[in-house]
Amino acid sequence: MTSYLSYLECTICGAKYPADRLSGVSPCCGKVLYARYDLPRIRAEVDRDRLVERTANMWRFQELLPVDDPYNIVSLGEGGTPLIEVLNLGEKLGVSNLYVKEEGLNPTGTFKARGISAAISKGLELGAAGFTMPSAGNAAGAAAAYCARAGLSAKVFMPQDAPDSNKKECLVAGSELNLVDGLIGDAGRQAVAVAQEQGLFDLSTLKEPYRAEGKKSMGLELAMQFGWRMPEAIIYPAGGGTGIIGMHKGFLELLELGWIEGDLPKFIAVQAEGCQPIVRAFNEGKDTAEPWQNAATVADGLRVPGPFADYLMLHAIRDTGGTALAVSDAEMVAAMYELATAEGIFACPEGAATLVGYKRLIAEGFLRRDETTVLFNTGSGYKYLQLIEGVGG
Ligand SMILES: *Cc1c(COP(=O)(O)O)cnc(C)c1O
Ligand SMILES: [Zn+2]
């Protein structure tokens, strides 16, 4: 046994549930369940400084991840991504201590791999027969790949207008691609119906407890890469919110373990002007977000009009003294060029959005010029080649 997972907890009322069976949302409140670990025992039994010697993928943090038997881990080498100091652009902007966490190097080209690896591994350990996945983008590609790796077929549900690259990565991995007339919400309803009908497990964002655990590993990894310190600010392109929520949870666990100390980084959420439910709720001082009407942006990962875990995202932002802001699609695409030209980092538009946000927060004085700040490039620009002007046509 490698995991110190002990129970699941409702994020609304604190009710506890056993972690030894497949679980979706909390039965009491119908909201997000968090995985809770036996932190006192980890503190007594695990030596933080030995973790760095392990293979550089997210499973080096196995004690703080949910899978009991390593045999059940479905891995393609997710995690262990570089933390790159932004040097040329830093000089140009007159800033220092600016970093990019390069999640584009994950299997399937985005950080979705982390969450999907955790959820599918734990699902299999608890007896799931197969998986459904509603997604308009990168989560579907990751689910398709990890199901293939596990020897299963994924049933993916996507809106008709989902990006070609995401449809193709599902097809090439042999998953069953169902194109749904309508929006991501409609795809979600179909996925749940099919899951119930056929005894499959549905992997919808934050409607099961373990994708957030995989994304938590980004925070654990950052702390380790900074020599067991936290940065002062994290700028993150927020869609469903798993990353912000997972990292916030991960830092709190590390603090409780005594593996790090100090203040949590300010969590800064960047959204697209054409879909900014969290920015609006943050600015209005609300604890939950109203769905955004007619959501539209080239950054598919940010096209989440009604995030299920809005309350957890807004809490993480406020709890850490962070903020939320929206940027335009044109600004994102310009920043893709800027990052690639200055640093050789070919970011996805979501990741490039964090650079736009950073520059604005520096100009406004919200961030100091030497504040240790991490921009999350959540995916590879290679999945978004259509956004780059063509050569010869
Ligand atoms: C899914 C996705 C996001 C949003 O991530 P959340 O953690 O769900 O907020 C950002 N960028 C890319 C490339 C994505 O695929
Ligand atoms: Zn509850």
Side-chain angles (χ1 to χ4, degrees):
M1 221 194 74
T2 55
S3 176
Y4 287 65
L5 177 64
S6 51
Y7 60 91
L8 300 174
E9 187 180 70
C10 173
T11 50
I12 297 286
C13 73
K16 295 178 180 176
Y17 297 94
D20 62 355
R21 62 206 67 170
L22 287 168
S23 304
V25 296
S26 67
C28 43
C29 304
K31 295 303 281 184
V32 180
L33 279 172
Y34 267 175
R36 295 298 186 197
Y37 297 80
D38 189 346
L39 298 177
R41 241 185 78 220
I42 297 182
R43 193 181 177 131
E45 295 175 7
V46 180
D47 178 0
R48 172 195 86 175
D49 295 324
R50 303 301 300 271
L51 301 189
V52 71
E53 296 161 15
R54 297 181 181 168
T55 306
N57 66 49
M58 76 172 195
W59 295 100
R60 67 154 41 120
F61 302 106
Q62 57 186 14
E63 288 87 350
L64 284 162
L65 290 173
V67 179
D68 282 329
D69 184 347
Y71 177 81
N72 293 320
I73 293 177
V74 182
S75 176
L76 292 166
E78 51 293 330
T81 58
L83 179 65
I84 302 169
E85 187 167 5
V86 173
L87 295 173
N88 304 324
L89 197 55
E91 199 176 304
K92 193 176 133 207
L93 300 174
V95 301
S96 55
N97 304 318
L98 178 63
Y99 297 83
V100 169
K101 181 70 170 152
E102 176 47 309
E103 291 293 302
L105 291 180
N106 275 297
T108 70
T110 74
F111 71 142
K112 290 286 193 306
R114 296 180 188 256
I116 297 299
S117 173
I120 287 185
S121 301
K122 188 61 182 174
L124 287 176
E125 184 162 85
L126 296 176
F131 299 91
T132 54
M133 165 61 92
S135 163
N138 295 315
Y146 282 85
C147 280
R149 176 75 174 168
L152 297 166
S153 160
K155 291 187 197 290
V156 173
F157 296 80
M158 272 188 187
Q160 293 277 6
D161 64 352
D164 264 3
S165 58
N166 296 126
K167 288 177 187 159
K168 285 180 179 170
E169 64 183 342
C170 292
L171 291 174
V172 80
S175 66
E176 181 191 302
L177 179 57
N178 301 282
L179 294 177
V180 177
D181 251 340
L183 302 172
I184 180 67
D186 304 298
R189 278 182 285 281
Q190 281 205 25
V192 170
V194 168
Q196 271 166 5
E197 208 177 277
Q198 304 184 8
L200 305 173
F201 189 70
D202 183 54
L203 292 169
S204 297
T205 304
L206 287 156
K207 293 189 175 166
E208 58 73 46
Y210 299 119
R211 279 176 61 189
E213 293 302 296
K215 295 249 185 116
K216 173 179 90 178
S217 68
M218 297 190 293
L220 308 181
E221 216 168 279
L222 265 190
M224 175 185 261
Q225 286 173 314
F226 278 117
W228 298 107
R229 284 180 318 137
M230 289 175 281
E232 290 170 281
I234 290 178
I235 310 190
Y236 187 89
T242 356
I244 288 189
I245 291 163
M247 286 194 278
H248 182 250
K249 178 175 184 288
F251 287 136
L252 291 176
E253 289 171 358
L254 292 181
L255 283 168
E256 204 172 322
L257 285 170
W259 289 7
I260 54 174
E261 48 189 41
D263 292 333
L264 290 174
K266 297 193 256 297
F267 277 100
I268 297 162
V270 178
Q271 298 202 297
E273 278 179 0
C275 182
Q276 42 167 320
I278 294 298
V279 176
R280 180 171 63 188
F282 178 81
N283 288 335
E284 291 176 353
K286 302 230 173 85
D287 294 332
T288 57
E290 293 296 317
W292 192 265
Q293 299 304 319
N294 305 317
T297 167
V298 297
D300 303 297
L302 305 186
R303 203 159 47 137
V304 185
F308 183 63
D310 50 355
Y311 62 109
L312 294 174
M313 246 191 290
L314 288 160
H315 169 74
I317 296 166
R318 292 211 177 92
D319 180 49
T320 59
T323 187
L325 69 168
V327 309
S328 72
D329 282 8
E331 287 175 303
M332 288 183 218
V333 174
M336 288 172 75
Y337 281 86
E338 195 172 2
L339 259 177
T341 302
E343 303 290 339
I345 298 171
F346 189 11
C348 59
E350 296 86 344
T354 65
L355 174 61
V356 181
Y358 175 75
K359 290 202 283 191
R360 202 180 296 165
L361 294 172
I362 288 286
E364 288 171 1
F366 184 89
L367 291 175
R368 292 189 327 269
R369 289 181 175 275
D370 64 349
E371 201 151 346
T372 307
T373 302
V374 176
L375 309 179
F376 261 86
N377 179 34
T378 44
S380 168
Y382 290 103
K383 294 186 98 168
Y384 299 80
L385 289 175
Q386 76 281 4
L387 297 179
I388 304 304
E389 297 278 298
V391 182

